[in-house]
Amino acid sequence: MTQNKLKNLELFTPPEILPTLITDLTQGIDTFSILYHATRLNLFDHLKEPKNASSLCESVGINTRIGEKFLNYLVGSDFLLEKDGIYSLSKTAETYLITDSPYYLGNYIAYYFIHKLSNLPPYDEFLKNGPPTDPKKMWVFDETS
């Protein structure tokens, strides 16, 4: 076998380790973003009684075409259940994503999205220049972070 053919063969041989650590992390950002938007729409409150996509999208006030994809993403992420075109809450959503639940985490999700994900510290700057001198930015380097 020639050296060139051997190199091409290597390209089709998968590595021993899968990239799931990386792909799960990046897909997790999408899932979190969709969960944030679903809680901002109070989507889960609208599913205290199961509904079809059209009815749910109308009651929430979202476009039906993209809304169904949105709902299916929530199904794939185990926040919603779907059977025969009818959407309902998973146990997780029922427990933590209904606004009148004593365990409601929608405000935590909003806080984390707005204050953490949307305002990431400038790590590249810190890595190049060292810790910040501004006391408001020192939390990045405290003992608990």
Side-chain angles (χ1 to χ4, degrees), residues 44-77:
F44 302 102
D45 286 349
H46 289 270
L47 275 174
K48 288 181 181 179
E49 296 296 325
K51 291 184 170 95
N52 65 30
S54 177
S55 174
L56 180 58
C57 291
E58 185 178 323
S59 67
V60 175
I62 59 176
N63 176 279
T64 304
R65 184 171 175 216
I66 194 72
E68 191 167 356
K69 291 178 184 271
F70 185 71
L71 296 173
N72 288 334
Y73 196 98
L74 291 166
V75 170
S77 301

Side-chain angles (χ1 to χ4, degrees), residues 50-105:
K51 291 184 170 95
N52 65 30
S54 177
S55 174
L56 180 58
C57 291
E58 185 178 323
S59 67
V60 175
I62 59 176
N63 176 279
T64 304
R65 184 171 175 216
I66 194 72
E68 191 167 356
K69 291 178 184 271
F70 185 71
L71 296 173
N72 288 334
Y73 196 98
L74 291 166
V75 170
S77 301
D78 296 325
F79 293 111
L80 297 181
L81 305 171
E82 184 272 332
K83 184 175 182 182
D84 299 326
I86 303 297
Y87 294 87
S88 61
L89 299 170
S90 69
K91 281 290 186 195
T92 299
E94 196 174 300
T95 304
Y96 298 108
L97 301 173
I98 302 294
T99 56
D100 59 2
S101 168
Y103 306 107
Y104 179 64
L105 291 178

Side-chain angles (χ1 to χ4, degrees), residues 32 35-36 39-40 96-97 105-114:
F32 181 69
L35 178 61
Y36 165 76
T39 58
R40 295 299 90 201
Y96 298 108
L97 301 173
L105 291 178
N107 295 328
Y108 168 78
I109 292 165
Y111 172 84
Y112 206 90
F113 185 86
I114 293 166

Side-chain angles (χ1 to χ4, degrees), residues 7 9 13 26 30-31 34 40 48-49 56 80 85 96 122 131 145:
K7 272 192 166 211
L9 183 61
T13 304
T26 56
D30 286 337
T31 302
I34 285 173
R40 295 299 90 201
K48 288 181 181 179
E49 296 296 325
L56 180 58
L80 297 181
Y96 298 108
S145 296

